[in-house]
Amino acid sequence: MVLGFGEVWSQIGSLMATIMFVYAMYEQFFPYHLRSYVKKYIQKFTGHMYPYIQITFPELSGERLKRSEAYGSIRTYLSANSSQRAKRLKAEVLKDSQTPLVLSMDDNEEITDEFQGVKVWWSANATLPKTQSISWYPTSDEKRFLTLTFHRRHRDLITASYIQHVLKEGKKIEVQNRTLKLYTNNPSNDWYGYKRTKWSHVNFEHPSRFDTLAMDPKKKEAIVNDLDKFKNGKDYYAKVGKAWKRGYLLYGPPGTGKSSMIAAMANYMNYDVYDLELTAVKENTELRKLLIETSSRSIIVIEDIDCSLDLTGQRKKKKEKENDDEDGDKPKNPVKKAEEEENKGSKVTLSGLLNFIDGIWSACGGERIIIFTTNYVEKLDPALIRRGRMDKHIEMSYCCFEAFKVLVKNYLDVESHTLFPTIEKLLGDTNMSPADVAENLMPKSIVEDAESCLKSLVESLEEAKKKAEEEAEKKAKEDEEAARLKEENEKKAKEDDEAARLKEEVKTNIGKSEEGVKENGTIH
Ligand SMILES: Nc1ncnc2c1ncn2[C@@H]1O[C@H](COP(=O)(O)OP(=O)(O)OP(=O)(O)O)[C@@H](O)[C@H]1O
Ligand SMILES: [Mg+2]
């Protein structure tokens, strides 16, 4: 019998009506407390027939209903996979991500994934709140979860490896996609109160990378290798019992790329940067509080460490104390008192700082890099920069020819030129910072081309060389003059000595002869 189109529809319609009627009867008349038994037995019965296992990953977990990390990672993993396969997608516009539009599968959508030849199904679901209350935020009670379905024969593979794989991949994508942040510490007066924080941040958007950094390629490679080793060194650090952190000291003259190096490191490692302004920190306890609030996978930077902390402070304080003792009970000079009040601004000491880098608290969080920069490495206290605190000392030096080649490639897209040998020689004879070289290489107008930029660099280098030579000459002259004066003084001192000796001799001789006369006189 062939049914007509209309008849099929009417039959389906009546079947649906029957099912709905039975379901409504069940909902209304079946005792509530017996329902769980029914459900249990139905599940047991279908368990024999239905060979699949389901695992759910709820969005909210834990005591305070925190968003579960696993849920986030899995969703990221699935977004990367599902946007090609799922038909109904949910779009989210994220503010803080490198990929502002994130597509993920919509509720009740199912996608398949394959792992080592095994097929699994993922679906996104949400349970609506039981009590239908009218609220301004209707979805706040909604519980979302992801369900993983697989054949029970693959149970071991899925629970032991597949889930780990999904979490790891998801986390990796999250790390790649996140926008780095640049934090700076607020003065402690602003720490408390509504929505106040110890650190404020902006998005970190420095374009510096290791490719664009001009320095000796061997040195650069060594630094990149060091960072790689650190990044993958979790187990190693645990094995040797060391906190998972590393300190770098960047030193060198101004404009040699210390700050650029920090930015390149942050971009390479995908770490946030905490730029610690020590002068805004009042005392050691505040320093510790700031440290605790930094996240892992971050770089903590203290720029110009020689300027921001008075490392000779302790000695100075001692001296002041001695002076005070000398003063005795004398009333204090009001000006001095005011100065002291002002000095109370920052009481961070060297030992406080050492504790910050190296103390027990510094291990909390893990995976941290601490960087100090300075123009004068010799000014720093050896305790501050010993290995273990600052593990690697990196000298950023004046522009060498290798560094110049990187700059000229970046700025002018030139790899060789007839002026290169001249520049190489001049760079060897002068001390020019990469910042100055870069400035010369940058075209200042649209009519300037590579040739003219290189020529202007040669001119600047020659000028710098001339200036350096003049200065060296002047210094040599001054030294010569000083040496001459010194010699003269010495000579004069010798002559004076000689004269004084002679005078003394004459005096004693006269004395002797006078005594002789006297003696003779008395004898006769
Ligand atoms: N090694 C370098 N490679 C590429 N660019 C550099 C390098 N050094 C300096 N520059 C350029 O010069 C500018 C200044 O460099 P940077 O701020 O990194 O110097 P610095 O060593 O931190 O100086 P300071 O000691 O004064 O803080 C940068 O914006 C960058 O463009
Ligand atoms: Mg700098």
Side-chain angles (χ1 to χ4, degrees):
M1 189 181 71
V2 180
L3 292 174
F5 195 67
E7 278 172 79
V8 172
W9 274 111
S10 72
Q11 283 197 8
I12 289 175
S14 66
L15 184 69
M16 293 287 285
T18 317
I19 290 170
M20 280 169 84
F21 177 73
V22 171
Y23 184 71
M25 288 292 121
Y26 171 79
E27 279 279 298
Q28 205 160 16
F29 297 112
F30 204 79
Y32 190 77
H33 59 278
L34 290 181
R35 271 186 223 171
S36 59
Y37 286 107
V38 172
K39 207 170 162 191
K40 197 167 129 194
Y41 282 107
I42 287 177
Q43 271 175 3
K44 221 171 186 179
F45 176 70
T46 51
H48 290 292
M49 318 287 294
Y50 182 75
Y52 293 97
I53 297 177
Q54 286 192 330
I55 303 178
T56 57
F57 296 89
E59 179 181 18
L60 304 173
S61 66
E63 278 175 16
R64 286 205 222 153
L65 290 180
K66 254 175 61 182
R67 194 158 190 269
S68 133
E69 243 177 63
Y71 178 88
S73 301
I74 297 170
R75 238 181 57 130
T76 315
Y77 171 84
L78 292 178
S79 305
N81 288 310
S82 69
S83 43
Q84 283 103 30
R85 293 186 224 154
K87 290 200 188 81
R88 282 188 308 123
L89 295 165
K90 199 161 57 180
E92 269 176 277
V93 180
L94 299 182
K95 220 172 70 186
D96 280 351
S97 172
Q98 279 179 8
T99 44
L101 188 69
V102 173
L103 298 174
S104 56
M105 68 176 154
D106 202 357
D107 288 349
N108 301 324
E109 180 78 0
E110 190 178 79
I111 62 157
T112 51
D113 192 17
E114 226 177 87
F115 180 68
Q116 296 181 7
V118 172
K119 207 170 178 188
V120 298
W121 293 264
W122 281 99
S123 62
N125 311 90
T127 51
L128 288 170
K130 285 227 167 60
T131 51
Q132 292 285 344
S133 60
I134 298 168
S135 143
W136 288 109
Y137 308 103
T139 55
S140 61
D141 271 357
E142 210 175 55
K143 289 195 181 105
R144 296 180 171 279
F145 55 91
L146 293 162
T147 311
L148 169 66
T149 311
F150 52 91
H151 198 283
R152 63 175 169 222
R153 130 169 119 233
H154 306 303
R155 189 194 183 111
D156 289 343
L157 176 75
I158 301 296
T159 51
S161 325
Y162 176 67
I163 295 177
Q164 290 299 330
H165 160 79
V166 171
L167 292 175
K168 211 168 120 193
E169 287 296 310
K171 195 148 236 161
K172 214 158 101 188
I173 301 169
E174 271 174 354
V175 168
Q176 275 167 8
N177 280 350
R178 80 183 177 138
T179 313
L180 301 185
K181 301 254 166 43
L182 171 62
Y183 293 84
T184 186
N185 51 319
N186 297 327
S188 56
N189 312 342
D190 295 350
W191 282 7
Y192 303 100
Y194 180 63
K195 279 199 169 175
R196 294 288 176 83
T197 52
K198 297 188 176 60
W199 295 94
S200 338
H201 70 263
V202 291
N203 283 349
F204 178 76
E205 280 160 356
H206 201 296
S208 173
R209 281 171 291 113
F210 275 110
D211 305 345
T212 63
L213 204 62
M215 64 186 293
D216 182 6
K218 272 193 206 129
K219 250 185 181 174
K220 200 191 305 190
E221 201 188 324
I223 295 166
V224 173
N225 288 344
D226 198 84
L227 288 171
D228 281 338
K229 191 114 197 17
F230 173 76
K231 198 179 208 171
N232 305 316
K234 186 174 185 181
D235 298 334
Y236 177 76
Y237 277 82
K239 197 182 108 197
V240 297
K242 227 168 116 88
W244 193 14
K245 63 189 175 64
R246 194 146 178 86
Y248 294 102
L249 173 73
L250 301 181
Y251 65 96
T256 46
K258 295 179 291 299
S259 306
S260 311
M261 165 72 90
I262 295 170
M265 281 182 173
N267 284 327
Y268 182 75
M269 301 290 279
N270 239 309
Y271 282 4
D272 291 332
V273 178
Y274 287 84
D275 186 8
L276 180 62
E277 183 55 57
L278 267 187
T279 45
V281 184
K282 281 209 192 107
E283 48 192 28
N284 296 339
T285 47
E286 284 187 10
L287 197 58
R288 187 160 59 218
K289 280 182 194 155
L290 282 168
L291 172 73
I292 296 166
E293 295 237 341
T294 58
S295 61
S296 82
R297 298 174 154 271
S298 60
I299 300 182
I300 301 175
V301 180
I302 305 181
E303 287 248 41
D304 297 320
I305 178 83
D306 51 303
C307 307
S308 42
L309 183 70
D310 186 8
L311 293 179
T312 51
Q314 283 158 333
R315 260 174 278 153
K316 220 170 168 184
K317 257 181 215 153
K318 241 191 210 164
K319 234 187 201 169
E320 254 173 33
K321 217 174 158 198
E322 273 165 22
N323 286 346
D324 280 358
D325 289 346
E326 274 169 28
D327 287 352
D329 295 335
K330 262 190 254 168
K332 270 186 187 161
N333 178 349
V335 179
K336 201 170 164 195
K337 214 171 168 184
E339 248 173 45
E340 267 175 28
E341 293 278 299
E342 208 172 88
N343 284 347
K344 270 185 193 162
S346 178
K347 278 199 275 177
V348 174
T349 59
L350 177 63
S351 87
L353 188 65
L354 297 184
N355 241 327
F356 174 82
I357 320 166
D358 204 22
I360 301 173
W361 288 94
S362 67
C364 63
E367 205 173 344
R368 271 207 204 95
I369 291 179
I370 298 175
I371 303 182
F372 287 172
T373 75
T374 179
N375 293 141
Y376 308 98
V377 68
E378 63 284 348
K379 267 198 197 171
L380 299 182
D381 195 305
L384 189 64
I385 56 173
R386 73 147 166 80
R387 306 286 150 151
R389 290 204 174 104
M390 292 292 113
D391 303 283
K392 199 168 165 61
H393 297 188
I394 302 169
E395 183 181 5
M396 302 300 289
S397 49
Y398 289 116
C399 195
C400 59
F401 184 60
E402 291 298 326
F404 160 77
K405 281 205 283 198
V406 177
L407 286 175
V408 82
K409 175 93 190 43
N410 291 343
Y411 282 75
L412 300 172
D413 220 358
V414 170
E415 286 186 32
S416 67
H417 194 275
T418 45
L419 282 173
F420 273 22
T422 323
I423 294 174
E424 182 171 8
K425 182 154 189 318
L426 284 169
L427 279 173
D429 295 343
T430 46
N431 284 339
M432 191 178 263
S433 69
D436 285 338
V437 174
E439 180 56 28
N440 277 302
L441 289 178
M442 208 150 86
K444 310 287 178 314
S445 68
I446 43 168
V447 290
E448 268 196 279
D449 59 358
E451 176 94 20
S452 62
C453 288
L454 286 172
K455 274 188 184 148
S456 98
L457 175 66
V458 170
E459 267 170 34
S460 300
L461 279 168
E462 274 168 351
E463 215 169 276
K465 189 180 166 187
K466 214 167 121 197
K467 218 169 159 190
E469 275 171 1
E470 274 170 16
E471 255 167 38
E473 219 170 85
K474 203 171 142 200
K475 191 158 182 293
K477 255 188 198 159
E478 278 172 7
D479 286 352
E480 211 174 273
E481 183 66 20
R484 199 183 55 76
L485 275 176
K486 201 177 156 200
E487 208 174 283
E488 235 169 49
N489 283 345
E490 271 171 14
K491 207 172 148 195
K492 200 164 172 282
K494 246 187 200 167
E495 279 170 7
D496 286 353
D497 274 357
E498 187 64 18
R501 200 183 54 76
L502 279 175
K503 211 170 157 190
E504 195 69 22
E505 221 176 75
V506 170
K507 233 184 194 174
T508 44
N509 282 344
I510 291 173
K512 267 184 195 163
S513 58
E514 268 178 4
E515 255 172 41
V517 171
K518 253 187 204 167
E519 270 174 22
N520 286 345
T522 46
I523 289 168
H524 292 286

